[in-house]
Amino acid sequence: WAFGPISQPQLPVVQNWQQAQQPLDLFVFQKLELAGVAWSGSADPVSLVRRVFLDVPGLPPSPEQLKYWTSQWSQDRYTRLVDQLLADPALGEKWARMWLDVVRYAESNSYERDNPKPNAWMYRDYVIGSFNSDRPYDEFVRHQIAGDEVQSPSTDSLIATAFYRLGIWDDEPADPLQAQFDEFDDLVSTVGQAFLGLTLGCARCHDHKIDPITQRDYYAMLALMRDVTTYGTRADQVGNNQLDLYPEAANEHRQAESNIRKLKRRMEKLEKVAIEKMSAPDQRATEGPEREQVLQQKLRDYLDESQWKNYQAYQRELSQVHSDKSKLPTRTTTLGLAKLHAQPPTTYVLLRGSPHNQGDRVDPSFPEILGGGDPVMPQPASNGKSPGRRLVLAEWLSSKDNWLTARVIVNRVWMHFFGRGIVRSPNNFGLMGDPPTHRELLDFLAVELMNSDWSLKQLQRQILLSTTYQRSSQSIVASASADPANQLFWRQNLRRLSAEQVRDSVLKISGQLNLQQAGPPMYPELSAEVLASQSQPGNNWEKSPPDQQARRSIYIHVKRSLPVPMLSVFDFPETDSSCEARFLTVQPGQSLTMLNSQWMQQQAQSLLERLQREVGNDLWRQAKRCLELVTGVTAMPEDVAELVALVERLQVQETLSDAAARRGMCLVALNLNQMIYLD
């Protein structure tokens, strides 16, 4: 179904058209009416407001926010809420994680040493900024594929080329040539899955076993990216991947550094002349840490007048160069495509995928099944840095004539609002993937996206304002019997919060959340047992101050060999390859973490301190406020009484102090299902 042009479907004619808030609803209604399946009613205002807060900015509403938005409830009021949340800068911090999963984002290289990828966080901030500014999706694609080759590259477009550097990298491969083509395979596979929803990587060693994609197609796609250099070498781990954002400042810095090296060489030449005349003990001293002291005290004694004047002149000049260098604009580098092959090597089909066994030559082209053909390659750029092939790829991927790009991103956005996509396999629109449950709806939304200048916020707004999104999650016996998997979207799906949402919600409820945006990553405190899982315990894991550790989870340093337990237990994905959708499991490790981890104990204590600040030391008022902060709604007297009874029971039966018992009350409240699940 996906190997054909996007259609422009007509809006269906349905009996209950009056209930449709958006045109997309008509496609859902049509399926339901044909199947004779009844749909649930509208969600109550409290559930809907909490839902949209967690689905857009990704944070739960405070009791005050919930009360404000649900008072005098109407569809117009809900629309104002949606528009306000779509303009909230927190949106990018929630939605960027969707894309970071897809492009296997991490800030380290994997393998044993798992060294950091310098400045990878700038790509994360680029993605956050793109979602917040509603960067057109076609431009977002072009930036990542060819941000250095677009007309008038910007700092954003250069940062976006870090897409190519996010994968795993072996700094000591047994077979360097094989490792290099493993890097290319990572690029072809990720481009195929992320932008096209196709498993192109399956054609590395042979024709695709399922989809009509040949091995030649695979290597023709690789040829389009053949100018990309390896991530690094053992001798130089940054030269290929640290890109100067401001070339003029970089050139000034390079010139200053060159002048410093020249002056130092001249000074060292005169120092050598003097050292050769010194006594043996002094000569040996200049070979160690006492060198500077010996030279300062005795150098003048062993140089003639001309040599000494030259040496002093070099010193003054060196001091001046250092002073001038300190006044230069800051040299800013980012992870990206710093070095490229201006004349890419010829690409061949590799028999059985082995780079040591070349087959026929392959020219750059697109998969034939996608209406590809042989694109016209541009003349090499005048600057001699890039052949321009990736720009051809970027223009094809972001074209309205491409059959898959718009469909794939629409499906991803839908999935994050309903718990599953119109196509349940977001990275695989091929024959082994799941067929769409609403094919016409998918094409309708894809056309709408392209016609609205590829605006993802406009797409999100359409979905949020639809009747389909605003449905209750309450079940109907007959409908559940006819459609137990909710394939037809007759109700909303009850969902568990993501790992980041769980952690961020706890921080917000406890009053500790630091809303500082952007910048280098932070490092949560990890136990010695967790750090011991590394080959070099604690290596490259810094210690951030407490206020930084309280930032949103998207700013946590993503180290491939050291997943943060609080996130991994709630199904934070593997980052070695593209993650199309997270598993949302329910398993004992989650309860054990939420009840017993040191971090949760600290958050319970912070919540107790917040309660004391806001309502004083009265136990009943503390229990009531505690429940309201966790659930967002006015607490029922019987629930408050149950928490109060818990405190008393902990004091009497477990002999806990009053403070410890109240902290236990806060911990139990943070473990309520109303906090962990989205209705």
Side-chain angles (χ1 to χ4, degrees):
W1 69 269
F3 300 137
I6 296 175
S7 66
Q8 176 86 50
Q10 296 294 316
L11 293 179
V13 177
V14 297
Q15 295 176 5
N16 292 284
W17 61 270
Q18 302 96 329
Q19 295 186 32
Q21 299 281 355
Q22 293 289 313
L24 70 88
D25 288 319
L26 299 175
F27 294 94
V28 178
F29 289 1
Q30 181 186 47
K31 291 271 189 178
L32 289 166
E33 290 181 2
L34 289 173
V37 174
W39 54 79
S40 66
S42 299
D44 64 87
V46 168
S47 296
L48 186 56
V49 169
R50 185 170 185 272
R51 181 189 299 168
V52 74
F53 263 89
L54 283 161
D55 275 347
V56 181
L59 295 169
S62 68
E64 293 73 24
Q65 288 173 316
L66 200 56
K67 182 178 180 180
Y68 172 79
W69 286 109
T70 55
S71 63
Q72 301 178 343
W73 183 251
S74 68
Q75 191 63 32
D76 285 343
R77 193 167 184 80
Y78 174 67
T79 300
R80 289 199 299 274
L81 170 62
V82 167
D83 289 338
Q84 180 173 306
L85 293 181
L86 287 173
D88 190 334
L91 174 145
E93 295 172 316
K94 160 66 167 62
W95 281 84
R97 191 63 250 181
M98 172 198 75
W99 188 252
L100 298 181
D101 282 4
V102 171
V103 297
R104 83 275 187 237
Y105 175 81
E107 296 165 4
S108 68
N109 295 325
S110 190
Y111 294 94
E112 181 181 359
R113 277 173 284 274
D114 198 18
N115 288 327
K117 291 182 180 293
N119 298 315
W121 59 269
M122 297 177 76
Y123 174 84
R124 174 250 291 154
D125 284 354
Y126 162 80
V127 177
I128 292 173
S130 294
F131 277 97
N132 278 334
S133 66
D134 198 20
R135 187 186 305 280
Y137 183 69
D138 60 338
E139 180 182 286
F140 185 63
V141 172
R142 288 193 295 272
H143 277 185
Q144 292 172 86
I145 299 299
D148 57 319
E149 293 183 332
V150 297
Q151 187 175 9
S152 303
S154 64
T155 55
D156 274 357
S157 72
L158 294 175
I159 291 170
T161 64
F163 167 82
Y164 290 97
R165 302 305 195 188
L166 297 175
I168 62 175
W169 176 64
D170 189 352
D171 62 7
E172 196 173 22
D175 184 340
L177 187 60
Q178 181 70 39
Q180 181 181 0
F181 277 88
D182 286 345
E183 289 183 60
F184 280 125
D185 182 65
D186 169 66
L187 299 181
V188 174
S189 296
T190 304
V191 168
Q193 291 177 311
F195 300 105
L196 298 172
L198 292 179
T199 54
L200 296 180
C202 294
R204 178 182 184 181
C205 305
H206 48 70
D207 290 349
H208 202 293
K209 296 295 186 184
I210 307 297
D211 294 332
I213 299 170
T214 66
Q215 192 180 16
R216 178 175 287 274
D217 286 332
Y218 172 95
Y219 287 99
M221 282 286 284
L222 189 156
L224 288 162
M225 297 178 276
R226 197 69 170 84
D227 63 320
V228 177
T229 56
T230 182
Y231 175 85
T233 66
R234 189 71 192 277
D236 180 8
Q237 298 197 12
V238 298
N240 286 353
N241 60 63
Q242 290 302 299
L243 175 69
D244 279 295
L245 290 179
Y246 306 104
E248 291 183 4
N251 289 335
E252 291 178 352
H253 276 271
R254 279 193 286 266
Q255 185 60 52
E257 289 160 4
S258 175
N259 292 338
I260 289 170
R261 287 193 296 272
K262 289 177 183 177
L263 289 168
K264 285 185 174 181
R265 283 196 296 269
R266 292 171 182 172
M267 293 171 66
E268 288 168 359
K269 187 174 181 180
L270 290 173
E271 289 168 359
K272 183 178 179 182
V273 170
I275 290 171
E276 288 175 349
K277 300 175 183 178
M278 293 181 185
S279 65
D282 286 341
Q283 287 183 356
R284 286 193 296 273
T286 62
E287 297 171 359
E290 299 176 3
R291 176 185 176 88
E292 292 302 321
Q293 182 180 351
V294 172
L295 292 177
Q296 190 174 14
Q297 294 176 353
K298 301 185 178 182
L299 181 66
R300 174 68 183 89
D301 299 338
Y302 295 98
L303 294 178
D304 61 32
E305 193 65 29
S306 175
Q307 290 171 329
W308 177 241
K309 286 183 178 180
N310 286 339
Y311 190 84
Q312 287 182 308
Y314 296 151
Q315 281 184 314
R316 289 191 296 271
E317 192 174 349
L318 181 62
S319 177
Q320 184 61 48
V321 173
H322 275 297
S323 176
D324 293 343
K325 185 172 181 287
S326 67
K327 299 173 185 175
L328 291 176
T330 302
R331 182 179 182 181
T332 305
T333 60
T334 184
L335 187 70
L337 296 179
K339 292 181 182 177
L340 296 161
H341 294 300
Q343 300 294 332
T346 302
T347 302
Y348 299 90
V349 171
L350 301 182
L351 305 180
R352 297 186 179 181
S354 171
H356 303 288
N357 195 3
Q358 292 182 351
D360 295 337
R361 170 180 171 155
V362 176
D363 293 323
S365 66
F366 309 126
E368 185 177 349
I369 190 61
L370 299 181
D374 300 322
V376 177
M377 290 295 106
Q379 294 296 320
S382 59
N383 58 18
K385 293 181 179 180
S386 170
R389 293 182 183 181
R390 286 177 290 103
L391 183 58
V392 174
L393 173 60
E395 295 291 352
W396 176 69
L397 287 173
S398 60
S399 168
K400 289 185 177 182
D401 295 327
N402 188 290
W403 300 342
L404 286 171
T405 303
R407 284 170 170 158
V408 169
I409 189 60
V410 161
N411 189 61
R412 294 193 196 282
V413 172
W414 184 276
M415 177 183 73
H416 282 267
F417 282 124
F418 293 94
R420 64 103 170 157
I422 296 170
V423 178
R424 283 186 177 270
S425 51
N427 274 8
N428 189 357
F429 278 36
L431 294 173
M432 283 297 286
D434 293 301
T437 56
H438 298 70
R439 179 176 172 180
E440 293 78 13
L441 171 59
L442 186 65
D443 275 10
F444 171 79
L445 292 175
V447 171
E448 288 283 292
L449 174 68
M450 293 186 288
N451 288 344
S452 62
D453 193 28
W454 295 84
S455 167
L456 292 181
K457 281 194 177 182
Q458 183 60 31
L459 171 64
Q460 291 167 319
R461 189 176 189 273
Q462 290 181 62
I463 294 173
L464 288 166
L465 295 180
S466 69
T467 303
T468 305
Y469 176 80
Q470 296 178 59
R471 291 207 191 286
S472 165
S473 65
Q474 293 298 312
S475 185
I476 300 172
V477 174
S479 299
S481 177
D483 181 21
N486 193 24
Q487 294 277 71
L488 301 179
F489 299 108
W490 54 269
R491 64 177 177 87
Q492 254 290 3
N493 288 308
L494 184 69
R495 289 173 276 151
R496 201 211 72 208
L497 300 187
S498 70
E500 293 89 343
Q501 287 175 313
V502 171
R503 181 181 176 277
D504 294 351
S505 295
V506 170
L507 284 168
K508 183 174 181 181
I509 292 166
S510 70
Q512 296 299 298
L513 184 62
N514 178 356
L515 293 175
Q516 175 189 340
Q517 293 190 314
M522 60 85 169
Y523 299 77
E525 187 172 349
L526 301 180
S527 68
E529 292 82 1
V530 173
L531 294 174
S533 64
Q534 294 182 280
S535 61
Q536 295 178 298
N539 186 40
N540 291 322
W541 192 265
E542 301 174 16
K543 183 164 183 173
S544 298
D547 68 310
Q548 288 296 301
Q549 292 188 44
R551 296 179 69 194
R552 290 193 69 172
S553 301
I554 196 169
Y555 298 112
I556 292 176
H557 178 65
V558 184
K559 187 174 177 64
R560 286 189 157 104
S561 64
L562 199 61
V564 175
M566 182 66 197
L567 299 183
S568 61
V569 75
F570 282 101
D571 309 304
F572 188 82
E574 288 287 336
T575 54
D576 287 359
S577 57
S578 175
C579 172
E580 61 177 356
R582 296 190 187 186
F583 296 109
L584 292 180
T585 63
V586 179
Q587 43 94 355
Q590 295 164 356
S591 296
L592 292 171
T593 299
M594 291 293 288
L595 283 169
N596 299 315
S597 68
Q598 182 180 1
W599 186 79
M600 282 300 298
Q601 300 290 331
Q602 293 168 348
Q603 295 309 307
Q605 176 62 35
S606 296
L607 177 53
L608 178 58
E609 292 169 1
R610 177 180 183 177
L611 297 176
Q612 291 169 335
R613 290 193 304 270
E614 294 184 0
V615 299
N617 208 44
D618 180 82
L619 179 56
W620 182 274
R621 295 180 66 195
Q622 282 189 359
K624 182 175 183 294
R625 180 60 175 167
C626 184
L627 285 172
E628 290 172 351
L629 288 172
V630 170
T631 65
V633 297
T634 302
M636 302 296 289
E638 56 268 29
D639 295 331
V640 178
E642 192 171 349
L643 269 191
V644 170
L646 170 66
V647 173
E648 294 170 349
R649 191 164 63 251
L650 290 174
Q651 290 174 319
V652 174
Q653 295 181 9
E654 305 299 331
T655 66
L656 295 184
S657 67
D658 181 63
R662 295 185 188 220
R663 186 169 61 247
M665 170 188 73
C666 295
L667 183 63
V668 167
L670 288 170
N671 276 266
L672 292 176
N673 276 352
Q674 291 98 312
M675 206 283 288
I676 303 292
Y677 286 89
L678 179 59
D679 187 351

